[in-house]
Amino acid sequence: MNEEHTSPMTPLDQMLAQDSLQMLKAAVPYFPAGAQRIFALYAKMMELSHTITMFSGGPAELTMMSEQPRSSQPLDILQQLRTYAGDSQKEMIDQILFAFHALEILQMPQEPAEPL
């Protein structure tokens, strides 16, 4: 059974996504072989143009476009990156997350045991 794997869109891609561009990119594999390259390059150039336009407005404009401020804690960043990682990268991220959690447990204040 051939299982298709689709990756979720990154937050940046979500900000840049335009329905017409997404539809064009989805249709590229169905074009004749010679046209695929042209339409794929066109879609990427339009995406780059949109990115340049969006980022030329400055930080205030980007803040308005974002859904909500994202946390920049290392564990949150690792969890976000894990969403887009391949199997070997996910395993490595899981090991790092496990190490972080183990350190948190070791740093917890130890309460003395109550006598029976």
Side-chain angles (χ1 to χ4, degrees), residues 13-70:
D13 287 333
Q14 290 173 1
M15 284 188 339
L16 297 172
Q18 294 177 323
D19 291 342
S20 58
L21 261 176
Q22 293 303 102
M23 290 170 50
L24 174 62
K25 288 166 41 176
V28 166
Y30 300 99
F31 292 135
Q36 287 180 0
R37 176 182 292 154
I38 294 167
F39 283 106
L41 287 172
Y42 174 74
K44 289 299 181 179
M45 291 302 295
M46 292 304 297
E47 193 172 55
L48 177 61
S49 174
H50 185 63
T51 304
I52 291 169
T53 301
M54 179 181 289
F55 280 92
S56 66
E61 187 175 325
L62 287 176
T63 303
M64 288 173 26
M65 289 181 192
S66 64
E67 301 163 3
Q68 59 188 357
R70 296 228 179 244

